[in-house]
Amino acid sequence: MAPKKLKFNSRTIHGGQHPDKAYGAVMPPVYFTSTYAQAKPGEHLGYEYSRSHNPTRTALQASLASIESGNYALAFASGMAAIDTVIKLLQPGDEVISTNDLYGGTYRIFTKVFAAYGITFHFVPMGDIDEVKKHVNANTKLLWVETPTNPLMQIIDIKAMSLIAKANNVLLAVDNTFASPYLQRPLELGADIVMHSATKYLGGHSDVVLGALALNDTALVERLAFIQNSSGSVPGPMDAFLVLRGIKTLHVRMQRHSENGRAVAEYLTSHPDVEKVYWPGFETHPNHEVAKAQMDDFGGMISFVHKDNSLDKAVAIVSALKIFTLAESLGGVESLAGHPASMTHASIPKEIREKTGVTDGLIRLSVGIEDSEDLISDLAQALG
Ligand SMILES: *Cc1c(COP(=O)(O)O)cnc(C)c1O
């Protein structure tokens, strides 16, 4: 096993990994098996049934824990399955405080699934710390943070949220999908649980759907693992292998995503027909100081609005792009463009969407790791 103290750029490759015990395979074998032989009833090598454990998944979980600076990680069938498991820690009557600028699928499972089980969700602008405090009461059990937020790239102060959580004996969970642990490690900032859609930057190649939780507390990981094993929301071994392979290049990809993100954000800001660019790396970004304090760089997620700010114009621009592919999702090596109002955020009612700034004219970019000059030329022709 690699030494624990390795720097991040080595932990992506070596964190929690060791050659396979059987033949010394450097990459963990993909253990396509549902069950494991027992010498006598109950006498086995730590594996009984693959809903509970699988060696390929174990290898991925060790890597996830290492890169998030956690003691433990659990891998799930999807990011949503990971969120589902966290909310199942709660009881009817419990309350959750979350951001008002939230991944559409998270908003949907909160309001359309778990609200029916008697759990109350408050969606507040979490950049305003007093607004969060105002909603805390004796029933509050969880703060659910996403930062940078999707799609408006607001930055929420994780340390400030952890102080509120600790003072009120409430759990703090952070969806770290947009940043990835290369840019931000919430457990180091006081979060109790980090959640990932590994479908995005961790996998990094748009070829797998998988989710993850990372955390430090032993009693909490046991409860989460119990819920997961009871519900069965586990990834298959091939998916675990693909994400583990993706993580090995996370640091190299994220460095380029961040460089290209800056180049594209600066280009868009200089374009006369672009009204607004949302990217936390700008000094003019309202939460730039918090971003600088809690992130190591600013990544490749950018949203922008053309000066027409209309549905027709946004549709025309995203349809004219040739290198950026019009598609849901983000975080792959290839650049993607999306139209949140009709795609990722269509499940949020229009009045609520528009109030937070997710207008019909908003376009979201996941800037990939191609040559930034090609990406800028593509945007130039689509805007022209
Ligand atoms: C994609 C995404 C999710 C959901 O993850 P899946 O792997 O698609 O289930 C949750 N949060 C954020 C921020 C996401 O981008």
Side-chain angles (χ1 to χ4, degrees):
M1 183 96 65
K4 254 203 144 88
K5 282 277 168 238
L6 288 178
K7 293 195 185 303
F8 184 84
N9 292 352
S10 306
R11 279 189 273 146
T12 55
I13 297 164
H14 298 292
Q17 304 304 301
H18 46 75
D20 180 62
K21 286 195 197 95
Y23 299 108
V26 169
M27 280 302 282
V30 184
Y31 283 93
F32 281 120
T33 187
S34 61
T35 190
Y36 305 82
Q38 307 194 5
K40 289 183 196 145
E43 196 179 308
H44 52 73
L45 302 170
Y47 293 87
E48 295 162 274
Y49 185 60
S50 283
R51 172 157 37 72
S52 312
H53 302 99
N54 175 286
T56 316
R57 201 164 104 218
T58 304
L60 169 64
Q61 291 178 161
S63 168
L64 289 164
S66 173
I67 58 175
E68 277 295 358
S69 302
N71 292 332
Y72 307 103
L74 296 170
F76 291 83
S78 68
M80 292 317 303
I83 297 172
D84 175 80
T85 300
V86 173
I87 303 303
K88 284 174 177 163
L89 291 167
L90 306 180
Q91 306 281 322
D94 288 349
E95 298 189 12
V96 179
I97 304 173
S98 185
T99 156
N100 61 346
D101 180 20
L102 193 62
Y103 176 69
T106 308
Y107 181 82
R108 181 175 56 197
I109 197 173
F110 285 178
T111 58
K112 299 270 167 64
V113 179
F114 284 112
Y117 290 77
I119 298 167
T120 302
F121 296 88
H122 302 279
F123 300 96
V124 311
M126 283 186 144
D128 183 345
I129 290 164
D130 290 330
E131 197 59 36
V132 178
K133 285 184 177 161
K134 235 169 43 194
H135 284 83
V136 178
N137 64 44
N139 296 325
T140 310
K141 294 289 154 58
L142 175 69
L143 301 187
W144 185 273
V145 169
E146 200 182 299
T147 181
T149 67
N150 176 20
L152 294 176
M153 314 302 153
Q154 295 175 55
I155 302 296
I156 294 163
D157 188 335
I158 297 172
K159 259 191 196 154
M161 290 302 122
S162 89
L163 292 178
I164 297 175
K166 284 183 176 53
N168 294 283
N169 201 21
V170 168
L171 287 176
L172 170 63
V174 177
D175 182 338
N176 203 27
T177 300
F178 265 41
S180 90
Y182 175 83
L183 298 179
Q184 160 180 294
R185 288 162 305 282
L187 296 179
E188 294 176 3
L189 300 165
D192 298 294
I193 301 173
V194 176
M195 175 259 150
H196 274 284
S197 170
T199 312
K200 318 293 168 55
Y201 285 111
L202 297 184
H205 295 75
S206 306
D207 53 8
V208 60
V209 171
L210 190 139
L213 299 175
L215 62 156
N216 282 316
D217 188 79
T218 306
L220 186 57
V221 77
E222 282 171 0
R223 281 174 68 202
L224 290 163
F226 179 84
I227 295 168
Q228 180 184 35
N229 187 44
S230 303
S231 302
S233 51
V234 297
M238 190 67 215
D239 292 351
F241 177 89
L242 286 172
V243 172
L244 187 57
R245 182 165 77 166
I247 289 172
K248 288 177 192 289
T249 55
L250 177 68
H251 52 301
V252 192
R253 288 184 284 107
M254 289 310 297
Q255 186 183 351
R256 181 62 67 86
H257 281 298
S258 298
E259 285 167 16
N260 283 0
R262 175 174 295 280
V264 168
E266 283 173 354
Y267 167 73
L268 288 170
T269 304
S270 73
H271 196 288
D273 293 342
V274 172
E275 184 177 278
K276 196 158 172 39
V277 182
Y278 298 88
W279 186 65
F282 289 133
E283 277 175 28
T284 51
H285 184 286
N287 314 116
H288 179 67
E289 287 309 314
V290 179
K292 237 171 48 182
Q294 72 186 19
M295 301 173 76
D296 293 330
D297 206 336
F298 305 106
M301 292 304 299
I302 300 169
S303 293
F304 72 99
V305 184
H306 185 273
K307 67 177 192 300
D308 288 1
N309 197 1
S310 68
L311 178 67
D312 289 351
K313 191 67 197 178
V315 168
I317 293 167
V318 296
S319 307
L321 288 165
K322 294 196 166 69
I323 298 176
F324 283 85
T325 303
L326 177 61
E328 305 245 357
S329 201
L330 62 113
V333 290
E334 67 292 312
S335 292
L336 300 181
H339 181 242
S342 65
M343 296 166 71
T344 44
H345 289 61
S347 54
I348 301 178
K350 189 175 161 85
E351 323 80 71
I352 297 178
R353 247 198 302 114
E354 301 240 314
K355 237 200 278 177
T356 57
V358 186
T359 57
D360 283 347
L362 189 79
I363 293 169
R364 190 189 79 179
L365 301 178
S366 169
V367 179
I369 63 171
E370 301 95 335
D371 193 301
S372 62
E373 285 183 25
D374 288 331
L375 299 178
I376 288 169
S377 311
D378 193 28
L379 286 163
Q381 64 81 20
L383 283 161

